[in-house]
Amino acid sequence: MDASDDYARALQVALRYVSFRQRSITEVRRRVGKEFSQPVVEQVLASLSRYGYLDDAEFAQRWRDSRERRRPRGRFALRRELRAKGIADGIIDATLESLDESSSAYRAGERRARQWLTGGEMDYHTFRRKMWDFLRRRGFGSGVAGDTTARLWQEYGAGEG
């Protein structure tokens, strides 16, 4: 097998990998690097980038948007997830710059608040502890978690306290 065969096979592996969902450059490098030499991997990455299949800035923005829609996360958790995907800190900073954590925390906690408080069985202190822990695990800061917990209690907890 010659280098062009390796390149063609590596390109097929990479294209199949990015066909399921958008990937970061690091994700593709890790996947293709399992089977092919470093020069072939770099050649494939250059080709995919040139044709618009790989763009870490776009990947980071889509990752954030997807999280916002489906499973909101705080700045800390999003930063950790994007770093794990190999996204550079500068791109992460730009992506998270306009993040409205209060709104995200509210959306993340709203369903849980309804679930926990509809029966009226949970007291304020239990709710506050559970919601604060829930939001902190999702990467929201203490202040945002506290403010959101208070807001959700006011809206769903019938103001008991």
Side-chain angles (χ1 to χ4, degrees):
M1 251 188 222
D2 65 0
S4 65
D5 287 341
D6 274 353
Y7 170 76
R9 285 188 321 110
L11 186 60
Q12 287 303 315
V13 167
L15 285 170
R16 187 171 191 317
Y17 190 56
V18 299
S19 70
F20 296 108
R21 70 165 175 84
Q22 189 173 17
R23 307 283 182 170
S24 71
I25 292 169
T26 300
E27 287 178 303
V28 176
R29 178 178 283 121
R30 287 176 188 149
R31 172 64 183 91
V32 178
K34 289 178 181 179
E35 299 177 45
F36 300 95
S37 69
Q38 190 63 31
V40 170
V41 171
E42 294 306 319
Q43 189 180 5
V44 166
L45 292 174
S47 295
L48 292 177
S49 295
R50 186 172 46 251
Y51 292 112
Y53 288 102
L54 294 178
D55 180 343
D56 278 354
E58 183 181 335
F59 172 84
Q61 188 61 50
R62 284 188 179 196
W63 185 268
R64 176 194 152 181
D65 293 346
S66 174
R67 279 296 194 205
E68 285 294 295
R69 281 190 311 277
R70 290 184 174 82
R71 299 189 69 194
R73 296 282 195 252
R75 190 176 310 274
F76 180 77
L78 287 170
R79 180 175 298 283
R80 185 178 58 237
E81 289 174 353
L82 290 170
R83 274 194 180 138
K85 300 288 183 188
I87 305 300
D89 285 340
I91 293 173
I92 293 172
D93 292 342
T95 301
L96 300 181
E97 187 176 348
S98 63
L99 181 68
D100 180 359
E101 276 196 298
S102 294
S103 173
S104 296
Y106 182 82
R107 282 194 321 282
E110 188 176 24
R111 193 175 113 222
R112 291 289 172 135
R114 271 191 258 125
Q115 191 177 24
W116 293 339
L117 297 172
T118 50
E121 303 288 321
M122 190 178 290
D123 65 273
Y124 173 69
H125 297 291
T126 303
F127 174 77
R128 183 180 68 183
R129 180 183 45 80
K130 286 180 74 168
M131 183 58 70
W132 194 84
D133 289 348
F134 175 80
L135 293 171
R136 292 290 291 153
R137 282 191 307 272
R138 276 146 190 80
F140 294 102
S142 297
V144 171
D147 293 346
T148 302
T149 298
R151 179 180 170 195
L152 289 167
W153 177 259
Q154 286 299 317
E155 292 181 19
Y156 295 98
E160 300 168 23

